[in-house]
Amino acid sequence: MLATPSLQPLPSLTSTSLEAMALEVAGECQTYNGRITSFVILSCAVAATGGLLYGYDVGISGGVTSMDPFLEKFFPDVYADMKDSRTSNYCMFDSQLLTAFTSSLYVAGLFASLCASKVTQAFGRRASMLLGGAAFIVGAALGSLAVNVFMLILGRVLLGVGVGFTNQAYFTGSSAPLYLSEMAPPEHRGAINNGFDFFVGLGILSANLINYGTQKIHSDLGWRISIGLAIIPATIFAFGTLFLPETPSSMIQRTNSLQKATEMLRKIRGTDDVHAELDDIIAAGNVSKAARRPLLIIIQRKYRPHLVIAILIPFFKQMTGITAITFYSPLIFRTVGLGESSSLLSTVITGVINVGSVVVAVIIVDRLGRRKLFIVGGGLMFVTHLMVGGVLAAQLGDHGGTSKGYAYMILVLICVFNAGFASSWGPLGWLVPSEILPLEIRSVGQSMGIAVALLLASIVGQTLLAMLCHLKSGVFFFFGGWVLIMTVFVILLLPETKGLPIEKMDQIWREHWFWKKLEGAEKEGSAPSAVGE
């Protein structure tokens, strides 16, 4: 049996010694031993099921809000406007109460993620995911039994709590994507982490298929089934998390349990020779424990690249317009002249394209790298935003309709948009923030990222239908402009991270043409101390 490295007690550290430790962790990159084991695959599959829940709840809302019985029961004013030929095509769904139903998931998720950060630090990634699964179950049950708008939105809020806890532990101080990044071998981290987004896409597709079937019931039973079926994946997720192991990084960070961490690392890598990776995890853990005030540390100049990327990637992801299209694509399709059934069938088609594109991303992300996917996907989204906006401006006025040919052209363009997003900003928006943060600021950095993502998603969700009413086709030019900005940002300021171990990620900043200037400037002066006294 190979000897296990010892975990030494931490001495009192200054900011200078903390930096020295961080630099030691980020030294020369080396290849770790191990392989993808069945244990890793099963653990990551259960964790990624959180994406299935998230995707289902996002997809189901857009479908039920286009069903006549649902609108007639909870949003009679919207239903009346939809039937009134005097209402503008772009304004028939403009209702703050309707958008509150949609955006309340993200508002609740924002506040829940802040609480989840403390739970994750105290009890681990698994505890956060378990609580999130329980919230999903209660929220789905309450929503499916709703008899008034208050009960409906309360159920939606509980679903948001589930999103906050399951996502915080990953996409954000973290559970699922972060859990996936810590479990995966470095050379396969992109593919395994992107499995989370595959499950998100699968959840959206499942919701679209169910909505398409239940809208044929033509009664309240249809939308109740759509909302209530979320209980099934929520139960699977909550039950599965009971059997999830903690990651070696989490064990060392929270409990100092070096022996258990070593055994777990050997189990997930399928080899006894894990000393190189274990040494790096221990060194990163020492840095993390020395950093007792991570919020003060992350604002230091040397962590400026990490902070900027951790915040801007989630921000840009929301500003692609994907939240608008995912939530409201059935309403957009109805706006351009497709009927209730055709609009829901169209979302099924876009869902299939979405899942297929994620599969492509899983296959190629660790070969081509993150930057190329970001740039190609950004280019596709930019062009399609301009084309959809142009078609609507030329063919769809306030009244009357557009030909079926142009309606189907918009459907094709939105499919292309989904392909571009699902192969780039979709999966990489989870992956990149989860892999670039060093352990000492990982929890706080991820929490800040999820707060930005949920805040922006709630704002976009709440304002999109009003924007569509006032800007009309210009709303697509608005999002197209943002896609251009984020693509330029990637080209200039985002370094490539493929194949690099998380514990060695700091070296990419020291080699980047722009961010290395901050590294050099940091050495000229001393940063304020934010470590233990």
Side-chain angles (χ1 to χ4, degrees), residues 125-146:
R125 329 272 190 229
R126 185 174 58 179
S128 288
M129 290 189 283
L130 180 60
L131 288 174
F136 272 123
I137 293 172
V138 177
L142 191 63
S144 66
L145 299 174

Side-chain angles (χ1 to χ4, degrees), residues 276-297:
E277 185 172 3
L278 184 63
D279 286 343
D280 285 339
I281 292 175
I282 292 172
N286 286 340
V287 175
S288 176
K289 291 170 186 174
R292 298 178 186 176
R293 288 174 284 176
L295 188 58
L296 295 180
I297 292 176

Side-chain angles (χ1 to χ4, degrees), residues 8 42 66 119 130-131 197 207 265 280 326 344 368 379 389 393 427 444 488:
Q8 300 297 329
L42 291 175
S66 71
V119 174
L130 180 60
L131 288 174
D197 202 67
L265 188 59
D280 285 339
T326 303
L344 291 174
L368 295 183
V444 67
V488 172

Side-chain angles (χ1 to χ4, degrees), residues 57 61 64-65 70 73-76 95-109 135-136 138-163 223-224 227 328 458 461-462:
D57 288 318
S61 63
V64 298
T65 54
F70 182 85
K73 182 176 184 63
F74 296 112
F75 307 99
S95 166
Q96 291 302 301
L97 187 60
L98 178 61
T99 52
F101 164 71
T102 298
S103 62
S104 57
L105 179 141
Y106 285 123
V107 175
F136 272 123
V138 177
L142 191 63
S144 66
L145 299 174
V147 295
N148 53 49
V149 172
F150 173 79
M151 190 173 176
L152 182 72
I153 292 180
L154 180 59
R156 190 75 174 165
V157 166
L158 288 175
L159 292 177
V161 172
V163 168
W223 63 262
R224 291 187 189 277
I227 295 176
Y328 298 119
S458 63
Q462 187 65 36

Side-chain angles (χ1 to χ4, degrees), residues 323-337:
T323 299
I325 289 177
T326 303
F327 273 151
Y328 298 119
S329 57
L331 302 186
I332 293 172
F333 290 137
R334 294 198 71 169
T335 296
V336 299

Side-chain angles (χ1 to χ4, degrees), residues 65 67-76 78-79 82 93:
T65 54
M67 295 182 184
D68 288 349
F70 182 85
L71 292 173
E72 191 173 11
K73 182 176 184 63
F74 296 112
F75 307 99
V78 175
Y79 183 76
M82 187 175 65
F93 296 106

